[in-house]
Amino acid sequence: MKTIMPEDAQIVHDIEQTFKTKYNSSPSLFCSPGRINLIGEHTDYNNGLVLPAAIDKYIILAIAPREDNEVHIFSQDYQDSYITSLTHIQVSGKLWPDYIMGVIDEIQKLDKKVRGVNIVFGGNIPQGAGLSSSAAVECATAYALNSLFGLDLNSLELAKISQAAENEFVGVKCGLMDQFASTFGKENKLIRLDCETYEYKYIPFDTNDYSLILFDTQVKHSLASSAYNERRQQCEYGVQLIQKHHPEVRSLRQASLEMLDKFVKPQDEITYNRCEYIVREIKRVEDSCIDLLGANYSQFGKRMFQTHAGLRDQYEVSCEELDFLVDHVKDYPEVLGARMMGGGFGGCTINLIENKAMDKIADNTAKAYSQTMGKSMKIYPVSIVDGTRMLIKKGE
Ligand code: GAF
């Protein structure tokens, strides 16, 4: 199992200390990673395939049961508290507690018994960068409550509870990818997840010559979550148009390019573009897995560029900062692939680059980004790690 790195060890220590000071007792500690996605963007809520992995950036959650029904939460990052009762769960009005309260709410809906808890949490997953810090908070909470109260929920159930918290309580109609990756992550492995059947396979990713590096635009445009929900509706509309002729088609997973040409294109060009991107992207994930299993990284890299073009031109979820970063790196021979990652409208690009040129390309890109876009970019080299787990059990 991947051990916690020194920088993370400091965060664990700080969170544990804050807990002891605030609540005068010792907690159990859990960690839950952020995620990257190699390919398969916006395919999860279309019952398609995705290829994410958990990364070495974490949410750390310290928790202990209380004798009453109250939930006391302290956010180390916001230096802010939230107190409520298990019998009066409602949206907080300040977002950060909702990721935790949403999970508690979903668990209670299943008639599983939880008691009050004290919590301190924080971490080093950059927020708003598209690395799923919110999914990590949800997954850490679900995992912690499951082990604290012996709820007997399996890992898939924990990931789905976390997704439901985001869908129902936070109001973002996301798919399962982020919560699945955070829960099921495995060191040096990508997760090929079939979002229709929930079947998954680990694909080795231990390249010696290439590494993954993220370039963070440091922007998050405000239409991100409304546009996300809108894309989902557009895909559902495309499916409805096909279903009139092919009732067996349940989602874009069963749709073909021919069906889109015949039944969607004549009705609505925008819907057609969205759906065509998705159908091609699902196929790209399948092909990418073959590339990666055959260690054909250059072919895989080309598919990353194709995904970016589709997200930019057809799905229209990119932005000028992301396009700039992908355009800037594409002519370096040492860059195998690059694309925007996650929901879009800001956040990071993911780049597959030869190790020997990594520093030079990262430096040049940061300079060019600041000169042209007038903003600074952040650079995150990432390693692939295990998923959500317990670090310390209370009393140990
Ligand atoms: C966000 C969502 F949360 C995921 O479910 C997924 O749809 C992703 O955007 C796009 O691939 O991270």
Side-chain angles (χ1 to χ4, degrees):
M1 184 182 285
K2 179 102 183 165
T3 45
I4 289 276
M5 304 300 286
E7 179 207 352
D8 307 329
Q10 185 62 49
I11 298 173
V12 175
H13 174 81
D14 291 350
I15 286 179
E16 189 177 15
Q17 285 313 312
T18 306
F19 190 99
K20 286 179 175 165
T21 312
K22 284 217 155 299
Y23 305 121
N24 208 14
S25 67
S26 294
S28 296
L29 283 144
F30 297 83
C31 79
S32 197
R35 67 100 189 89
I36 50 173
N37 185 24
L38 276 279
I39 204 154
E41 218 62 271
H42 287 273
T43 45
D44 59 351
Y45 55 84
N46 286 299
N47 285 0
L49 303 171
V50 289
L51 196 61
I55 54 167
D56 55 343
K57 300 209 173 288
Y58 300 97
I59 290 294
I60 309 294
L61 185 126
I63 185 168
R66 295 173 56 90
E67 294 303 322
D68 57 18
N69 264 342
E70 291 189 354
V71 178
H72 291 223
I73 315 174
F74 182 75
S75 160
Q76 183 92 334
D77 300 332
Y78 291 105
Q79 291 288 303
D80 191 14
S81 302
Y82 182 74
I83 298 178
T84 189
S85 151
L86 287 175
T87 47
H88 290 101
I89 295 183
Q90 54 192 7
V91 173
S92 68
K94 49 182 172 181
L95 195 59
W96 67 259
D98 295 345
Y99 302 109
I100 291 174
M101 295 315 302
V103 168
I104 297 178
D105 194 38
E106 287 301 321
I107 288 177
Q108 295 206 127
K109 281 189 203 161
L110 296 173
D111 269 342
K112 298 272 182 187
K113 278 264 164 299
V114 293
R115 298 206 324 261
V117 281
N118 290 326
I119 291 177
V120 175
F121 78 103
N124 61 358
I125 308 176
Q127 289 177 27
L131 303 182
S132 297
S133 57
S134 54
V137 174
E138 292 153 358
C139 293
T141 306
Y143 192 103
L145 293 172
N146 192 39
S147 63
L148 222 60
F149 298 117
L151 303 180
D152 208 18
L153 295 160
N154 65 34
S155 298
L156 179 59
E157 289 168 323
L158 294 177
K160 285 184 171 179
I161 284 168
S162 301
Q163 179 201 13
E166 185 94 28
N167 289 173
E168 306 300 326
F169 212 77
V170 182
V172 178
K173 303 292 176 198
C174 65
L176 187 60
M177 173 172 75
D178 301 351
Q179 291 79 7
F180 196 95
S182 191
T183 303
F184 284 83
K186 214 179 218 355
E187 189 174 355
N188 292 335
K189 302 272 193 288
L190 310 174
I191 311 166
R192 178 198 188 274
L193 170 65
D194 182 326
C195 297
E196 181 164 52
T197 62
Y198 306 123
E199 281 167 359
Y200 65 99
K201 252 194 242 157
Y202 290 112
I203 308 252
F205 191 78
D206 31 21
T207 64
N208 291 324
D209 301 334
Y210 314 110
S211 299
L212 293 166
I213 190 164
L214 309 178
F215 295 156
D216 183 355
T217 59
Q218 297 227 75
V219 297
K220 189 81 201 164
H221 293 292
S222 58
L223 66 166
S225 69
S226 60
Y228 184 92
N229 291 346
E230 185 192 57
R231 294 300 179 281
R232 193 173 177 145
Q233 284 163 5
Q234 289 166 331
C235 292
E236 284 162 7
Y237 178 53
V239 172
Q240 283 165 21
L241 292 174
I242 297 173
Q243 276 172 341
K244 289 184 187 152
H245 309 271
H246 289 277
E248 75 282 7
V249 169
R250 297 182 300 279
S251 67
L252 288 178
R253 181 67 183 278
Q254 289 86 37
S256 64
L257 293 174
E258 293 72 29
M259 290 175 188
L260 297 179
D261 274 339
K262 258 170 112 172
F263 308 121
V264 182
K265 197 170 193 172
Q267 298 293 327
D268 187 66
E269 191 70 24
I270 291 183
T271 307
Y272 172 78
N273 283 332
R274 308 292 193 244
C275 296
E276 195 203 7
Y277 160 76
I278 294 292
V279 170
R280 288 190 189 279
E281 180 73 353
I282 293 172
K283 173 79 168 57
R284 260 195 295 273
V285 181
E286 273 185 323
D287 294 340
S288 295
C289 291
I290 298 169
D291 298 339
L292 291 169
L293 286 168
N296 191 347
Y297 293 103
S298 66
Q299 182 57 43
F300 171 66
K302 288 183 188 137
R303 295 192 207 282
M304 293 173 79
F305 284 119
Q306 289 166 7
T307 293
H308 185 77
L311 289 165
R312 181 191 59 209
D313 302 332
Q314 290 190 286
Y315 218 63
E316 296 184 279
V317 291
S318 190
C319 61
E320 59 171 341
E321 292 88 351
L322 290 165
D323 292 342
F324 177 86
L325 291 179
V326 171
D327 272 353
H328 179 81
V329 300
K330 74 176 188 312
D331 294 327
Y332 286 103
E334 302 94 341
V335 174
L336 281 72
R339 64 176 196 83
M340 59 149 280
M341 189 183 75
F345 303 104
C348 293
T349 62
I350 177 168
N351 304 270
L352 181 62
I353 303 184
E354 280 184 36
N355 292 336
K356 61 178 177 0
M358 185 72 85
D359 290 346
K360 172 189 82 181
I361 292 172
D363 284 353
N364 288 351
T365 309
K367 276 193 200 112
Y369 187 69
S370 121
Q371 273 162 13
T372 312
M373 307 303 292
K375 294 170 189 147
S376 64
M377 152 194 129
K378 283 202 168 158
I379 300 169
Y380 315 125
V382 286
S383 321
I384 296 178
V385 301
D386 288 332
T388 307
R389 58 195 183 269
M390 180 186 273
L391 297 174
I392 299 170
K393 195 169 184 173
K394 186 176 176 171
E396 275 180 356

